[in-house]
Amino acid sequence: MTTSHQHPPAVPTAAEVEDMTLEERARLASTLDDVEVVHNQNKWPIKGTRAEKRAERAVALWFVISALSGLAFLGSFLFWPFQYVAPGQPGYGLYTLYTPVVGFTFGLSVLALGIGVIAYIKKFFPDEVSVQQRHDGASDDVARLTVTAQLVKAGQDTGIARRKLIIRAAGGAAGVLGLGLGIAAIAPLVRNPWKGGDEAALWVTGWRPVNGETVYLRRDTGDPHEVSLVRPEDQAPGSMETVFPFRESERDDEEALIRGLRGSDTPVMLIRLRPDERVVHRNGQENFNYGDYYAFSKICTHLGCPTSLYEAQTNRILCPCHQTQFLATEYGRPVFGPGTRPLPQLPITVNDEGYLVATGDFAEPVGPAFWERRYNP
């Protein structure tokens, strides 16, 4: 039912409200809002009983569980080993548990905090039944002054001010959880991408030289144990083939063979341009190609999708996710779409055996940009 808002005949002024006690303000707030309290029963009419203390400890226990879980989440997020470890290697078990441990401790912290709040409301909020008439329009100054008193009075009725155990436990739980969320939010921004120097994980790929060993270009035949190396005569002009790194020391190493094929930064597009194409080289990378053969990272510099399409007539490399187009004849620079950086080019040549090999790693990190990426356009 909708009624027009009408105050009782004697409505106090704002100055008179300022002189009222908290109890008087709370009663006035109910009167002004046309609220009729039909029933209001305090859960604990006799204060300090054993049952009340047990209820208080039960509520506080949930907040303590939330705080401890929050600390466990914070500790596991910061200190649990998260770097990749191959199956069967020392530390693999701890590595596989990183995500479950972080997820479980965070979920338990949030769950326990929520249960604690619900338990507090159920155990300590008075049983109240009130009827309020609906009014249109904004509240006046007197109503705004009295509503604060009404909220404070509700807090007094629940006894929260004298329940120090619950206050400390809830504050600790909320504080620890907030700290954990804050660190989790900013950690990816403050972790040093240059840790490890020139061998930092963000800098190097599976194509990097190791002990001077030759890194061959290898095609994927579907069988990780079959090694199919690439020769220049294998590829027709105006074609593209995806290749991966291979070293002879990896031939009998199943894990290394699979890692070379499945590494997120290893796929490379080997493109053989048609004869007499006009090519623009990037500064400092004039010798990265071998004749008409050019090798570019297959990882899009926009958001990391595979740039798996090559149009031979226009020499454009297309990323199917967001339609960024890169020009193969101009050092893989973007000419359309949201991508803004050229595809990193892999330096290649042909060795004495007639196989295409990499002469080094990429001159810049592959994939999407990251904090303080070094880039020489």
Side-chain angles (χ1 to χ4, degrees):
M1 180 176 66
T2 302
T3 62
S4 60
H5 184 70
Q6 294 179 348
H7 290 305
V11 178
T13 63
E16 291 173 333
V17 173
E18 293 284 357
D19 295 331
M20 289 183 179
T21 64
L22 179 64
E23 300 284 345
E24 292 172 336
R25 288 191 191 185
R27 285 196 299 271
L28 178 59
S30 297
T31 302
L32 294 177
D33 288 339
D34 278 353
V35 175
E36 180 184 358
V37 180
V38 179
H39 172 76
N40 186 289
Q41 177 64 48
N42 196 310
K43 289 286 184 68
W44 307 101
I46 301 177
K47 304 184 186 307
T49 62
R50 290 183 178 179
E52 183 185 12
K53 292 295 184 182
R54 285 197 300 270
E56 185 175 354
R57 288 193 293 270
V59 172
L61 177 62
W62 284 110
F63 291 131
V64 170
I65 293 174
S66 177
L68 294 177
S69 301
L71 287 173
F73 161 71
L74 188 59
S76 59
F77 181 83
L78 292 176
F79 304 113
W80 197 279
F82 64 92
Q83 298 287 354
Y84 173 77
V85 178
Q89 297 298 315
Y92 175 72
L94 289 177
Y95 161 72
T96 58
L97 289 175
Y98 174 75
T99 299
V101 168
V102 168
F104 175 78
T105 53
F106 175 74
L108 180 60
S109 181
V110 175
L111 177 64
L113 184 62
I115 293 177
V117 171
I118 294 173
Y120 178 76
I121 294 173
K122 281 181 164 293
K123 292 180 181 294
F124 295 103
F125 270 53
D127 291 328
E128 181 176 294
V129 177
S130 301
V131 178
Q132 181 180 21
Q133 299 296 325
R134 178 183 173 186
H135 299 287
D136 295 326
S139 302
D140 55 28
D141 292 338
V142 173
R144 287 193 288 269
L145 284 171
T146 55
V147 71
T148 304
Q150 196 173 32
L151 293 174
V152 174
K153 181 64 167 57
Q156 289 183 348
D157 289 343
T158 64
I160 186 64
R162 62 188 179 86
R163 305 188 194 283
K164 303 300 183 184
L165 179 61
I166 292 180
I167 291 176
R168 294 191 184 100
V176 170
L177 183 59
L179 178 63
L181 289 175
I183 291 179
I186 66 173
L189 302 178
V190 299
R191 283 177 175 165
N192 183 9
W194 318 133
K195 184 179 180 181
D198 292 338
E199 293 297 315
L202 288 176
W203 277 125
V204 299
T205 72
W207 295 95
R208 72 184 184 278
V210 178
N211 299 325
E213 188 175 4
T214 300
V215 183
Y216 293 89
L217 276 61
R218 169 197 181 189
R219 59 175 60 90
D220 185 5
T221 64
D223 180 2
H225 301 93
E226 181 182 358
V227 178
S228 176
L229 304 181
V230 181
R231 293 178 178 272
E233 58 268 24
D234 295 340
Q235 198 165 341
S239 64
M240 184 272 287
E241 183 176 12
T242 302
V243 294
F244 304 88
F246 169 75
R247 300 171 180 83
E248 279 297 335
S249 62
E250 301 170 347
R251 185 174 291 274
D252 298 322
D253 187 340
E254 181 177 3
E255 178 63 29
L257 291 173
I258 295 176
R259 185 170 58 247
L261 293 174
R262 302 293 180 262
S264 60
D265 54 7
T266 57
V268 162
M269 294 175 294
L270 178 63
I271 298 175
R272 183 179 182 182
L273 299 177
R274 292 173 299 175
D276 303 324
E277 288 282 1
R278 178 183 176 274
V279 178
V280 177
H281 294 275
R282 193 170 173 182
N283 290 336
Q285 300 184 7
E286 292 83 358
N287 61 344
F288 275 28
N289 61 297
Y290 175 76
D292 295 333
Y293 293 85
Y294 291 77
F296 297 100
S297 170
K298 199 172 184 177
I299 310 304
C300 182
T301 55
H302 174 224
L303 288 179
C305 293
T307 55
S308 53
L309 303 177
Y310 173 63
E311 207 289 304
Q313 296 299 318
T314 61
N315 293 309
R316 292 195 177 195
I317 302 165
L318 173 66
C319 176
C321 292
H322 306 101
Q323 284 69 58
T324 298
Q325 297 180 20
F326 304 88
L327 198 56
T329 53
E330 294 189 21
Y331 53 87
R333 72 175 180 88
V335 293
F336 179 82
T340 59
R341 294 175 45 254
L343 293 171
Q345 185 174 351
L346 182 72
I348 59 173
T349 188
V350 171
N351 67 356
D352 296 338
E353 301 172 294
Y355 292 110
L356 284 164
V357 298
T359 61
D361 203 353
F362 295 98
E364 61 177 313
V366 303
F370 61 86
W371 178 56
E372 288 188 355
R373 173 192 287 275
R374 301 179 216 167
Y375 168 50
N376 181 23

